[in-house]
Amino acid sequence: MFPWYCPSNKILQLSFPDIRQKFLIRYPSVSIAIVIAYILFVKWIGPAIMANRKPFELKYLMIVYDFGQVLVNMYLTYSLFRFAVEMWPYRCMVKNHPLLPLFMERILKIAWHVYLDKFADLIDTCMFVLRKKDKQISFLHVFHHALMCVLLCWGISNIETYAMGYYIGFTFSINTTVHVIVYFYYGLAAFGPHMLKYLWWKKYLTIFQMVQFTLVLMYMIYGFSSGCEEVGITEIIFCIYIVVIYALFIDFYKKYKDE
């Protein structure tokens, strides 16, 4: 029995329709349009607009944004870790468990909040453009932020069809933890150059991000080999994405590890 089990037919009937009626899920073309506009702005339109302008001073906006993201990701981390811990005994039977709809109902609520936060992540890059910090807008940065929005939209839209496994909660619990640390660093850095002496651990941020992908891949190997995770189209896409993003992080680390 799931510790969060609630025998409510109303939940079973309304959980999926409620989530999938959300505007950004019901009309995925809107999400895709936002992502395309984001890419166009940060790679071409934004730099062109800023070419003959002085960079904007966004210090206080960045501080509010970054520490706001810290709080949001702390909440998401708590929700996801609680979910991951409670679901651990059932990780090998998620797709075939009679209470699968309740599993989906809970993970969808969390996934919806994660999805919204991925769009909030796009603001970070836009501020780089307005501050003329083009060097910080790497292919990895744009690719990762843009694709996460698209993949989460697809995942939430099709979760009932593909019934994704335990690895989703496991992955995002680690990912939001990493984001807490990354945005905490950004928030401190936003105060100005006098904070640099306290940010000696910057060089470890990329390593920390690579560790998360190592843990996820290790879990997926365990899940596939033990039979706890089924090998389907969703899992294949997920693993390909993790491997690609892992390779990009390694390449990024090699280029900038001495800076």
Side-chain angles (χ1 to χ4, degrees):
M1 185 69 67
F2 290 172
W4 39 267
Y5 172 61
C6 175
S8 169
N9 290 330
K10 186 176 181 181
I11 290 179
L12 293 175
Q13 293 170 1
L14 298 180
S15 58
F16 293 120
D18 280 353
I19 294 296
R20 293 191 300 191
Q21 289 304 311
K22 301 289 187 182
F23 184 74
L24 289 174
I25 301 299
R26 187 178 181 183
Y27 302 103
S29 57
V30 176
S31 297
I32 294 173
I34 292 173
V35 169
I36 292 174
Y38 161 75
I39 295 172
L40 291 174
F41 178 79
V42 301
K43 298 303 292 184
W44 293 286
I45 298 174
I49 292 173
M50 296 300 298
N52 298 314
R53 289 178 170 84
K54 292 182 179 180
F56 284 90
E57 175 56 59
L58 302 176
K59 175 180 177 179
Y60 296 108
L61 177 60
M62 289 191 302
I63 291 172
V64 171
Y65 169 80
D66 290 329
F67 284 106
Q69 282 286 58
V70 169
L71 294 176
V72 168
N73 280 278
M74 286 177 67
Y75 162 74
L76 293 174
T77 298
Y78 166 76
S79 300
L80 285 159
F81 265 105
R82 182 180 175 185
F83 172 83
V85 170
E86 291 179 355
M87 279 301 302
W88 181 256
Y90 310 99
R91 65 192 181 280
C92 296
M93 60 181 80
V94 168
K95 293 187 178 182
N96 299 312
H97 200 283
L99 295 179
L100 174 63
L102 293 174
F103 164 83
M104 292 300 178
E105 187 267 343
R106 187 168 181 187
I107 194 61
L108 273 173
K109 285 183 178 178
I110 302 173
W112 170 245
H113 293 143
V114 172
Y115 179 55
L116 292 179
D117 189 57
K118 294 307 174 186
F119 282 99
D121 284 339
L122 305 183
I123 298 172
D124 180 50
T125 324
C126 295
M127 288 195 289
F128 285 158
V129 173
L130 297 177
R131 295 169 58 229
K132 302 186 77 168
K133 299 290 184 180
D134 296 343
K135 188 177 180 180
Q136 294 178 275
I137 308 174
S138 64
F139 173 79
L140 167 63
H141 188 94
V142 177
F143 174 80
H144 176 55
H145 283 323
L147 197 58
M148 281 303 299
C149 292
V150 175
L151 289 179
L152 272 170
C153 181
W154 177 82
I156 294 175
S157 299
N158 295 281
I159 195 168
E160 190 176 16
T161 302
Y162 294 102
M164 300 179 193
Y166 177 83
Y167 67 91
I168 296 298
F170 178 83
T171 299
F172 281 105
S173 62
I174 298 174
N175 181 253
T176 53
T177 302
V178 170
H179 278 200
V180 169
I181 297 171
V182 170
Y183 278 112
F184 182 68
Y185 166 82
Y186 285 156
L188 292 178
F191 280 99
H194 66 281
M195 293 297 295
L196 292 178
K197 60 183 177 181
Y198 303 111
L199 301 176
W200 52 268
W201 45 279
K202 173 186 177 181
K203 59 184 177 181
Y204 297 110
L205 287 179
T206 304
I207 295 176
F208 191 41
Q209 289 171 313
M210 289 190 292
V211 167
Q212 75 168 314
F213 298 119
T214 301
L215 293 174
V216 171
L217 286 174
M218 288 174 63
Y219 173 76
M220 293 304 289
I221 292 172
Y222 155 75
F224 291 151
S225 61
S226 66
C228 283
E229 300 288 353
E230 296 181 18
V231 183
I233 183 63
T234 306
E235 289 74 22
I236 292 173
I237 292 174
F238 178 80
C239 287
I240 291 174
Y241 171 75
I242 292 296
V243 170
V244 170
I245 204 72
Y246 195 2
L248 289 173
F249 265 102
I250 291 174
D251 180 65
F252 179 85
Y253 178 73
K254 289 179 179 178
K255 288 180 179 178
Y256 300 104
K257 64 180 179 179
D258 296 324
E259 294 188 8

